[in-house]
Amino acid sequence: MQLPRFLIQAFLVLFFLPGLQARQEPVDLEMVQKIRHEGLQNSSIRDISFNLTDVIGPRLSGSSGLARAYQWTSEQMAEWGLSNVEVVPWGEFGPGWDNEKFYIAMTAPYYQHLVGVPRAWTRGTGGPVSGAPVLVDIRTDEDFEKYRGQLGGRIVVTPVTSEPSVSFNPMAHRYSDEDLERLSQLPEVRSPDYGNVVSGPSDWAARRAFNRKLEEFYQEEGVAVVLRPSGTFGTVRSGGSRLVGEQQPGVAQIDLTFEHYGRIVRLLEAGIGVEIELEVQNRFLDQDTKGYNVLAEIPGTDRRLRDEVVMIGGHLDSWHAGTGANDNAAGVAGMMEVMRILKEIGVEPRRTIRIGLWGAEEQGLFGSREYVREHFYDRETGKKPAYDKLSAYFNVDNGSGKIRGIWLMGNDEARPIFEDLLSPFHDMGASTVTLRSTGSTDHVAFNAAGLPGFNMMQDRIDYGRGYHTNMDTFERMELGDMMQAAVIVASIVYHVAMRDERIPRKVFTP
């Protein structure tokens, strides 16, 4: 028996509809080819990276180096012909800080140059300091009296309470196919085991309060300098706390690599005399205490959509032990290259494409959070007029490794869109779309306001080993991987700017 034609048509629609619905995102393959050619054959990645690291140097928040970065990035993007290039204050940061001279060595029982770096926003030593370090073990309030009146002008070290662990993992790592398959799946949800909670916010607050009390004690006693362990395998990890309000800088502090610090402590514990000589010169910058972001655009051309925005970005600031190469000159260079590629090939996006190079990410995402608060959403006053004008924000801040996919931050409706937009780049290793979330960088500021903020999934290479350290330098940057990343982000951003609709949003509960 022959079925009626309308039944056959209905069957075909029902059979093919799921596949049609799953593959509706248009991809302009001609534009993809133009982006590939410009990004791979005429790349500026090396030049941008060289300037951000070797030429400008460390870009600590509030430092002279970050001021140079503001100037160079804005001038470079203006030279490329981008529109509305601005260095815009996001708010009050506090005094800046530059290290101008640093030297430290152990001179007895033998000479050993020590690998270290002064902690940011601490004082200098006011000239050369030399002498025998004193081992100070203050763990409770009762311990303070043991050392009162004994530490004036001394070099302080404290007992080693943890040792670097041996790692049998490779120094560098790319995601395997098995890794990517695992990451594409949501992790198993487990009930919290409250019986195994080791510490909580109250413990953290108590430790922080005790550390403040200890620093105040060192100041009252007139300690010359405090040495601290930080980093291993010849690397030293830099850090420090900005000065807020009327807060004054503490005594000079130096972070040393674990191997050198541990040697000093072991010699002292064995009763063997140790002598150290050092000098630290730091300068506080208080003429301009504001923090800044750098912005630039390719204006939209569609009369209906040009007021809407697709944003890309990464943080411009770094720590000061190295030159902030993988954290995050790599992300900045990649996103600047995205804008250069799109401008060079003459795209005319329907929506405006805007780049934000954020300040003070390392101190708490200040630049991006304040930008979101000013333009999109304020927790106290609610949504701003531009809230519904942002389609999406894309971030790069996990080193210089290849892009392997995208973290959707739980945005399930966006999955088929990015599966299609990544489809031309499977041959470049980018295909993973996961609902999982990742944090600790500037896309979090957008997500916290209910906006679609995404971080690109990257091969970590040796990022975890080197970020924030004296080894985060140009040599650690994978320039070929960065070219791949810029091409993929440029294509995604272009297609998102050309869509009829904005990227879907998750349910937002303020």
Side-chain angles (χ1 to χ4, degrees):
M1 183 181 74
Q2 187 173 6
L3 292 172
R5 177 174 294 182
F6 77 90
L7 288 177
I8 296 174
Q9 291 174 336
F11 172 79
L12 291 174
V13 168
L14 290 173
F15 184 81
F16 288 108
L17 184 59
L20 293 172
Q21 287 178 329
R23 292 291 175 187
Q24 290 183 334
E25 194 67 24
V27 177
D28 185 342
L29 294 179
E30 182 179 354
M31 183 58 70
V32 169
Q33 181 58 33
K34 289 180 180 180
I35 290 170
R36 277 187 183 242
H37 182 271
E38 181 61 29
L40 300 178
Q41 302 302 317
N42 303 313
S43 175
S44 292
I45 283 289
R46 189 185 192 283
D47 181 65
I48 301 170
S49 300
F50 167 68
N51 276 280
L52 286 171
T53 57
D54 294 341
V55 177
I56 291 172
R59 304 175 308 282
L60 180 72
S61 297
S63 69
S64 299
L66 187 57
R68 292 191 294 271
Y70 294 147
Q71 180 178 357
W72 183 81
T73 54
S74 58
E75 289 177 353
Q76 183 64 74
M77 290 192 290
E79 184 179 315
W80 290 337
L82 300 183
S83 301
N84 301 320
V85 180
E86 297 180 281
V87 180
V88 183
W90 55 256
E92 185 70 16
F93 176 76
W97 182 91
D98 284 344
N99 173 238
E100 297 183 326
K101 183 178 182 180
F102 171 59
Y103 164 74
I104 185 169
M106 184 175 72
T107 57
Y110 46 83
Y111 182 86
Q112 172 68 61
H113 171 70
L114 302 177
V115 177
V117 62
R119 284 186 69 78
W121 295 287
T122 58
R123 293 179 181 145
T125 55
V129 173
S130 61
V134 57
L135 187 61
V136 174
D137 189 4
I138 298 178
R139 306 191 191 197
T140 67
D141 289 340
E142 290 73 25
D143 292 332
F144 284 99
E145 290 306 315
K146 300 176 186 177
Y147 301 95
R148 195 173 300 279
Q150 302 178 39
L151 302 181
R154 301 298 299 273
I155 301 168
V156 168
V157 297
T158 58
V160 174
T161 57
S162 63
E163 295 284 350
S165 59
V166 176
S167 173
F168 295 94
N169 296 321
M171 289 176 58
H173 175 74
R174 288 194 186 277
Y175 286 130
S176 66
D177 291 342
E178 292 76 14
D179 292 334
L180 294 172
E181 175 61 26
R182 174 178 53 81
L183 290 172
S184 71
Q185 307 298 319
L186 281 174
E188 180 182 353
V189 177
R190 298 181 179 180
S191 300
D193 185 356
Y194 296 107
N196 289 328
V197 174
V198 176
S199 63
S202 60
D203 301 299
W204 176 83
R207 287 195 300 271
R208 186 173 182 181
F210 187 82
N211 288 337
R212 281 199 301 266
K213 186 174 182 179
L214 185 59
E215 290 180 8
E216 291 170 0
F217 177 73
Y218 288 151
Q219 283 188 253
E220 293 168 0
E221 292 295 302
V223 167
V225 61
V226 177
L227 307 184
R228 303 161 40 112
S230 179
T232 186
F233 275 96
T235 66
V236 58
R237 198 169 295 274
S238 50
S241 299
R242 70 184 182 120
L243 303 179
V244 180
E246 300 300 318
Q247 184 180 0
Q248 296 300 306
V251 301
Q253 296 184 35
I254 298 171
D255 288 324
L256 295 179
T257 186
F258 255 105
E259 292 82 357
H260 286 172
Y261 185 88
R263 188 189 314 182
I264 294 169
V265 172
R266 288 190 298 273
L267 288 169
L268 291 174
E269 290 175 338
I272 298 173
V274 175
E275 296 285 330
I276 290 177
E277 62 179 26
L278 58 90
E279 184 176 5
V280 181
Q281 291 182 13
N282 299 326
R283 180 164 62 100
F284 288 88
L285 311 174
D286 55 10
Q287 290 187 338
D288 183 359
T289 57
K290 287 182 169 51
Y292 294 86
N293 297 320
V294 182
L295 304 172
E297 295 179 346
I298 298 174
T301 59
D302 187 296
R303 295 180 62 182
R304 184 176 67 87
L305 298 177
R306 63 191 177 195
D307 289 339
E308 294 188 7
V309 181
V310 179
M311 291 195 69
I312 63 173
H315 71 89
L316 188 55
D317 62 305
S318 75
W319 286 105
H320 57 290
T323 54
N326 278 322
D327 190 17
N328 182 41
V332 170
M335 292 311 204
M336 289 179 66
E337 175 72 351
V338 167
M339 298 299 280
R340 187 201 67 80
I341 290 170
L342 296 176
K343 183 65 179 178
E344 183 64 27
I345 65 177
V347 301
E348 295 183 347
R350 299 175 70 188
R351 292 175 178 83
T352 294
I353 299 173
R354 181 180 301 154
I355 184 172
L357 305 180
W358 312 117
E361 186 266 2
E362 297 291 2
Q363 284 68 49
L365 316 184
F366 285 113
S368 56
R369 287 189 195 276
E370 289 303 311
Y371 182 86
V372 169
R373 186 190 63 79
E374 179 181 355
H375 294 278
F376 299 123
Y377 180 80
D378 187 313
R379 289 185 178 182
E380 295 182 1
T381 61
K383 296 178 181 178
K384 302 296 180 75
Y387 187 82
D388 291 326
K389 299 295 185 181
L390 180 74
S391 180
Y393 169 77
F394 299 93
N395 193 75
V396 170
D397 180 23
N398 289 132
S400 56
K402 283 183 179 181
I403 285 179
R404 308 304 302 276
I406 189 168
W407 305 93
L408 290 184
M409 308 294 290
N411 191 339
D412 200 14
E413 285 190 75
R415 184 201 294 267
I417 297 171
F418 291 110
E419 287 176 342
D420 285 350
L421 296 186
L422 284 173
S423 62
F425 301 105
H426 289 186
D427 64 324
M428 299 177 80
S431 60
T432 302
V433 178
T434 178
L435 287 176
R436 293 190 186 211
S437 297
T438 184
S440 302
T441 186
D442 293 292
H443 70 292
V444 172
F446 291 81
N447 266 274
L451 297 166
F454 305 103
N455 202 42
M456 305 308 296
M457 179 188 293
Q458 297 173 260
D459 280 332
R460 304 283 285 195
I461 313 295
D462 55 2
Y463 177 75
R465 182 183 178 92
Y467 78 104
H468 296 184
T469 76
N470 55 327
M471 297 301 172
D472 192 9
T473 62
F474 182 88
E475 287 76 12
R476 302 273 74 80
M477 302 177 86
E478 296 292 326
L479 300 180
D481 285 15
M482 293 168 63
M483 292 164 61
Q484 179 255 27
V487 165
I488 292 172
V489 174
S491 178
I492 289 175
V493 168
Y494 169 77
H495 284 92
V496 172
M498 298 299 289
R499 299 183 81 243
D500 291 334
E501 305 295 335
R502 297 174 315 184
I503 294 296
R505 300 184 176 187
K506 299 182 293 184
V507 175
F508 176 51
T509 304

